[in-house]
């Protein structure tokens, strides 16, 4: 056999392995016969790859079902205990770190407040969190397949991982290099809106869709454009928060004027509320203060105005991208959407073309504010499934 032939055979076997692992991971328990039907691979190919995966401890047998006149069919699944992954959410007000098994069951969690965004401070919190979840979860570093990290801003991966996060004051911060001072674990870094989008695509409101936009609204505003399906996802971050909705309007944290974030980001809502004469409890944190405003804006009209701006932003997304779904998430997005989703839909309809709006649903994130960390943890899982 020539080198090219050996390479082709190896690549084909790797593809088959990845295809079967993905099918088994997202399809839960399946027999070899079901895997053959789902993937189009021959029973012989499925049997060969499954023997290999069982020998490696990646796949386990979990019972059987009766077949039509033949022997019972053995059911298989990916072994949740084969390894663990860590997801990190770097937010504006805290760093959250979570440990999961391969079934994405949470095993430990650590949460650290952030009052400064210096790269060294944020990095220290991340390393503290990684160490804490390993200890609390009773897991050794050798069990960790990888650490996924969701960060604000733009991530550049070549020649090294660099992060530009204007609201943090980060300009080409060498995040992976900083983390390497405290960990040797495999690291994968992506935009936080993207990781939330991946979580929704794999486990939440995005399941079953081939195209969606996940809007992440917290202190700031971002979005992830997701495509494909859970088995072969694609995601790209967009600067949704810096879509201009008012020419020459309020000054945004980015320095420009009239950005959507300057009207619907949590910090901006509270600023506008105070400017309109609303009274905020001086001892309340940002989340508690926004929760109070979302229930009662004290007659300022700020809440209704926020809904209109958010609807206009979503309408622009619908006109530009015609997604199957727009999913509203982030802690502030969920606070706003919980009581005002119908009003947000109505505002989006007013700012959308009739046909794309009719084919787009607007929904809330199902996974809650922890979706960013969960989605970050899917980064090493994706790499593991790909082989």
């Amino acid at each position: 056999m020539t080198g090219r032939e050996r390479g082709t055979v190896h690549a084909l076997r790797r593809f088959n392995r990845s295809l079967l692992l993905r099918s088994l991971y997202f399809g839960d328990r399946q027999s070899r016969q079901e895997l053959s039907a789902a993937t189009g691979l021959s029973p012989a190919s499925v049997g060969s790859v499954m023997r290999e995966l069982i020998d490696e401890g990646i796949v386990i047998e979990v019972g059987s079902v009766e077949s039509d006149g033949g022997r019972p069919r053995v059911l298989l699944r990916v072994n949740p205990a084969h390894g663990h992954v860590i997801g990190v959410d770097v937010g504006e007000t805290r760093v959250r770190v979570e440990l999961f098994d391969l079934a994405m069951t949470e095993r430990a969690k650590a949460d650290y407040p952030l009052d400064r965004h210096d790269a060294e401070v944020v990095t220290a919190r991340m390393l503290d969190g990684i160490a804490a979840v390993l200890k609390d979860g009773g897991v050794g570093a050798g069990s960790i397949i990888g650490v996924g990290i969701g960060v604000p801003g733009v991530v550049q991966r070549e020649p090294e991982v660099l992060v530009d996060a204007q609201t943090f004051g980060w300009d080409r911060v060498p995040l992976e290099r900083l983390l390497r001072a405290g960990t040797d674990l495999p690291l994968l870094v992506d935009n936080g809106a993207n990781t939330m989008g991946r979580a929704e695509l794999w486990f939440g409101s995005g399941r079953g869709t081939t195209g969606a936009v996940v809007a992440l609204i917290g202190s700031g505003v971002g979005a992830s454009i997701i495509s494909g399906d859970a088995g072969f996802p694609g995601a790209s971050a967009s600067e949704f928060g810096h879509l201009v909705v008012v020419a020459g309007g309020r000054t945004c944290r980015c320095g420009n004027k009239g950005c959507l974030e300057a009207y619907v980001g949590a910090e901006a809502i509270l600023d506008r509320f105070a400017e309109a004469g609303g009274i905020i409890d001086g001892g309340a944190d940002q989340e508690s203060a926004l929760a109070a405003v979302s229930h009662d804006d004290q007659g300022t009209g700020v809440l209704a105005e926020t809904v209109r701006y958010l609807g206009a932003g979503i309408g622009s997304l619908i006109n530009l991208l015609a997604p199957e779904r727009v999913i509203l998430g982030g802690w502030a997005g969920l606070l706003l959407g919980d009581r005002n989703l119908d009003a947000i839909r109505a505002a989006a309809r007013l700012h959308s073309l009739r046909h794309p709006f009719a084919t787009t649903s607007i929904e809330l994130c199902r996974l809650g504010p922890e979706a960013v960390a969960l989605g970050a943890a899917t980064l090493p899982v994706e790499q593991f499934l790909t082989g």
Side-chain angles (χ1 to χ4, degrees):
M1 183 181 291
T2 67
R4 172 177 285 185
E5 288 171 331
R6 282 194 296 272
T8 301
V9 170
H10 177 74
L12 180 60
R13 187 166 186 82
R14 180 178 175 182
F15 175 82
N16 289 347
R17 178 184 169 109
S18 174
L19 187 63
L20 285 165
L21 260 180
R22 287 172 179 272
S23 181
L24 197 56
Y25 188 84
F26 293 107
D28 200 16
R29 303 187 304 166
Q30 294 178 73
S31 68
R32 291 170 176 82
Q33 292 85 349
E34 288 170 325
L35 285 168
S36 178
T39 62
L41 297 178
S42 69
S45 294
V46 172
S48 175
V49 173
M50 283 300 115
R51 280 194 298 273
E52 179 182 293
L53 292 172
I54 290 172
D55 288 345
E56 294 175 22
I58 296 173
V59 170
I60 55 175
E61 297 181 350
V62 285
S64 62
V65 293
E66 295 296 327
S67 62
D68 296 332
R71 291 183 300 175
R73 295 181 176 182
V74 175
L75 296 176
L76 306 168
R77 70 168 296 185
V78 173
N79 181 5
H82 178 73
H84 296 80
V85 291
I86 293 174
V88 181
D89 172 13
V90 179
E92 297 216 10
T93 59
R94 50 98 184 98
V95 171
R96 174 176 288 140
V97 183
E98 298 183 52
L99 173 72
F100 302 90
D101 64 19
L102 274 183
M104 303 309 289
T105 301
E106 183 188 290
R107 297 303 182 188
K109 178 169 65 175
D111 223 313
Y112 300 93
L114 272 183
D115 54 10
R116 293 167 51 196
H117 293 141
D118 311 61
E120 292 76 14
V121 172
V122 175
T123 302
R125 297 292 182 273
M126 294 166 66
L127 291 172
D128 288 345
I130 291 169
V133 297
L134 289 176
K135 180 180 178 181
D136 294 346
V139 170
S143 171
I144 301 300
I145 293 169
V147 179
I149 302 168
V151 297
V154 179
V155 179
Q156 176 183 314
R157 295 178 179 82
E158 297 292 340
E160 64 174 329
V161 174
L162 302 173
V163 180
D164 291 303
Q166 196 162 326
T167 55
F168 273 30
W170 288 10
D171 182 13
R172 296 176 64 78
V173 168
L175 185 62
E176 183 174 10
R177 195 194 319 162
L178 292 173
L179 288 167
R180 282 287 166 237
T183 183
D184 294 324
L185 294 173
L187 303 173
L188 296 163
V189 184
D190 203 352
N191 174 272
N194 269 353
T195 68
M196 189 182 79
R198 291 172 63 88
E200 285 297 323
L201 181 64
W202 282 35
F203 308 113
S205 298
R207 289 203 73 166
T209 181
T210 56
V213 177
V214 182
L216 175 63
I217 302 178
S219 295
V221 178
S224 175
I225 303 166
I226 55 179
S227 59
D229 56 33
F232 294 92
S236 60
S238 76
E239 294 296 341
F240 175 49
H242 303 291
L243 175 75
V244 174
V245 292
V246 180
R250 294 175 59 87
T251 299
C252 181
R253 297 186 302 171
C254 72
N256 292 331
K257 291 183 179 293
C259 296
L260 181 65
E261 184 175 302
Y263 295 89
V264 306
E267 183 177 308
I269 295 171
L270 294 176
D271 285 347
R272 289 169 42 239
F273 179 69
E275 290 166 7
I279 299 173
I280 298 172
D281 180 356
D285 60 21
Q286 192 177 73
E287 188 166 346
S288 299
L290 186 63
V293 173
S294 70
H295 284 78
D296 177 14
D297 73 353
Q298 299 175 22
T300 62
V302 167
L303 188 58
E305 187 181 54
T306 299
V307 166
R308 289 196 297 272
Y309 283 123
L310 181 54
I314 292 174
S316 294
L317 287 176
I318 292 171
N319 289 339
L320 285 169
L321 302 171
E324 186 176 337
R325 295 175 198 165
V326 174
I327 301 165
L328 185 60
W331 66 266
L334 291 173
L335 275 175
L336 292 170
D338 184 52
R339 297 175 65 89
N340 301 282
L341 188 58
D342 287 342
I344 291 168
R345 287 171 174 151
R349 179 177 56 80
L350 290 175
H351 294 90
S352 304
L353 295 172
R354 186 183 305 111
H355 178 69
F357 179 81
T359 58
T360 300
S361 66
I362 300 172
E363 305 175 17
L364 291 182
C365 168
R366 292 180 188 169
L367 302 175
E370 298 188 10
V372 173
L374 176 65
T378 69
L379 295 172
V381 175
E382 168 75 12
Q383 193 172 75
F384 170 74
L385 295 177
T386 302

